[in-house]
Amino acid sequence: MAWLEKRGTVMRAVGLTAAASAALALPACGAMGADDSDSGDREARYRSVIEDPHPRPADVIEAAGAPTGAVRANDGSLLLAYDASNVEDDEGPAATAWRIVGPDGHTVAEHAEHGDAEETPPEFKGAGGGFVQVPPGEGAEGAYALDVRGKPHKAVITETPLRARPGDILLSELEPSLIYRPATRTVAPPAGVPDDAIRLAVDEHGTVWSLDQPLTDDPDRVVRQHDGHTLGSTAVPKPYAGGTLTARGGTAALSLTRGERVRGLLLTTDGGKRWRTLRSGGIPWRDLERGPDSLVLESLADGRLLVGEEGGHYWLADDRTNTAFHPLKTPARFTSLTVDGATLYGIADATTATYGLVDGEGLWISRDGGHEWHRHEQHG
């Protein structure tokens, strides 16, 4: 059974599975941007944390320096996940943690675990009244829920497909495809997904969008389904193949790839009735350097698209027509940038485990489309 630290008290986590006890530890926000003049001391503290069989969440957070992810519940609570791994090798000890921060910025609950650098750190998604862990393996086993107070809840796992409905979230895209229903804490495969689907997205209305790749010379197709029924589909224009898929706010978009390059978008802004191809719009597609796997493509709640590359530059649509984009100014070089509703969450961190901190390290938040950013600060 896992233990949760909660504002100076210790709360036993009831019903948590062994997989659940591997929950990620979140790094303390106080470490973000810290001036650590004595690198030797920091290295010693870091080594001590990852070798500790029972690390404290605050120590893991300080060692990690920046979260690996930030997800939000519908009341504004944030779950921050952190990972401190072996610096010299991809083997050896590691430590993970998560921390839930309430809407007022104060810590509500936190938890840390000793682990192994070869293990994949747990990942969470915001889900209605709390958070849900993405299954750590290739099945649904190990998924569990946390409410906004940090209390764990066992997820109901079923192999019976569910017809997606509003409020469901895509928990695992493929192998296997899984959705999560917060109202019943149920994890299940989505009903009606085509056998040839290689990408999935579920929007706020419960519409399932899939990129289908036939085993013939026919073009890839974007298929949309609701309540288990197919509403329509559109072909990916030749000579392109489909890449990353996103859907939110009436907009659905698919990146268009050719070879090892992203060349534009196929998108709709009216729920799939009309589609168009975007090959410019102010985005220098030919200058993108990192390939299709590093593309960031996300939809804001109002249907505007965010486009960019992990560790590179980002562009945001001027309005929900998504015809013109402008460069996004960021306060630091983000290793990741995600969207929740209308809020942008950027993380500045090293790309590999390191004892030191990078410039601007930590979580940055913008609620006005990237015009102003503030660094997430901990209030205790």
Side-chain angles (χ1 to χ4, degrees):
M1 302 295 283
W3 290 81
L4 303 181
E5 293 187 13
K6 187 171 182 178
R7 300 288 304 200
T9 63
V10 179
M11 178 179 69
R12 189 167 177 81
V14 180
L16 218 56
T17 63
S21 67
L24 282 178
L26 297 180
C29 300
M32 299 179 187
D35 180 12
D36 203 339
S37 55
D38 192 340
S39 59
D41 284 352
R42 179 168 175 82
E43 178 177 340
R45 293 197 303 273
Y46 189 103
R47 287 178 175 270
S48 177
V49 168
I50 65 173
E51 293 171 359
D52 188 343
H54 305 289
R56 295 191 319 126
D59 292 339
V60 179
I61 290 167
E62 190 277 335
T68 57
V71 293
R72 188 177 67 181
N74 57 6
D75 75 335
S77 298
L78 285 177
L79 186 150
L80 308 175
Y82 293 77
D83 178 35
S85 192
N86 192 14
V87 172
E88 282 83 9
D89 199 347
D90 58 2
E91 300 178 351
T96 61
W98 55 255
R99 170 177 283 169
I100 295 176
V101 180
D104 61 357
H106 289 83
T107 297
V108 174
E110 56 188 12
H111 177 69
E113 290 282 343
H114 176 72
D116 189 285
E118 293 182 281
E119 298 172 352
T120 301
E123 177 188 353
F124 292 86
K125 290 193 175 184
F131 313 94
V132 60
Q133 187 202 21
V134 177
E138 293 185 353
E141 295 299 324
Y144 71 99
L146 289 170
D147 62 27
V148 294
R149 305 304 300 175
K151 181 180 179 180
H153 299 270
K154 186 176 180 180
V156 177
I157 298 172
T158 176
E159 295 181 359
T160 303
L162 285 179
R163 292 184 178 185
R165 66 187 190 192
D168 291 351
I169 67 167
L170 181 63
L171 190 60
S172 175
E173 190 172 7
L174 291 174
E175 298 183 5
S177 303
L178 295 171
I179 58 174
Y180 177 72
R181 182 160 295 167
T184 58
R185 299 194 180 101
T186 300
V187 177
V193 174
D195 294 336
D196 295 333
I198 61 170
R199 296 281 187 176
L200 284 182
V202 179
D203 67 20
E204 71 275 25
H205 301 296
T207 300
V208 178
W209 304 75
S210 63
L211 171 63
D212 297 355
Q213 188 177 69
L215 298 177
T216 64
D217 291 334
D218 293 337
D220 294 355
R221 301 190 71 86
V222 179
V223 179
R224 70 185 193 280
Q225 298 167 303
H226 190 75
D227 198 28
H229 302 292
T230 299
L231 302 179
S233 68
T234 189
V236 174
K238 290 186 176 182
Y240 303 107
T244 302
L245 181 65
T246 187
R248 180 73 43 178
T251 295
L254 174 75
S255 63
L256 298 175
T257 65
R258 188 173 184 183
E260 296 300 315
R261 294 288 184 177
V262 179
R263 294 304 190 192
L265 299 176
L266 177 68
L267 63 92
T268 176
T269 56
D270 58 8
K273 297 175 184 176
R274 293 179 296 274
W275 293 80
R276 60 185 172 84
T277 301
L278 178 74
R279 295 189 180 89
S280 56
I283 301 173
W285 299 103
R286 293 187 176 276
D287 294 338
L288 300 185
E289 300 174 349
R290 291 170 174 80
D293 291 341
S294 296
L295 184 75
V296 175
L297 177 61
E298 296 206 33
S299 304
L300 278 68
D302 61 4
R304 285 180 296 159
L305 291 172
L306 171 73
V307 181
E309 289 186 299
E310 295 176 355
H313 300 289
Y314 299 90
W315 294 264
L316 183 64
D318 295 344
D319 54 49
R320 70 174 314 276
T321 64
N322 293 295
T323 55
F325 290 73
H326 60 270
L328 198 64
K329 295 182 179 179
T330 61
R333 190 177 184 88
F334 291 157
T335 47
S336 69
L337 180 59
T338 57
V339 172
D340 191 315
T343 305
L344 306 179
Y345 295 95
I347 294 174
D349 196 6
T351 55
T352 58
T354 176
Y355 299 123
L357 302 175
V358 301
D359 289 342
E361 180 149 346
L363 172 65
W364 294 83
I365 301 174
S366 175
R367 295 184 173 87
D368 61 1
H371 295 290
E372 293 186 3
W373 295 87
H374 74 270
R375 196 189 306 221
H376 177 72
E377 297 179 358
Q378 197 68 28
H379 299 306

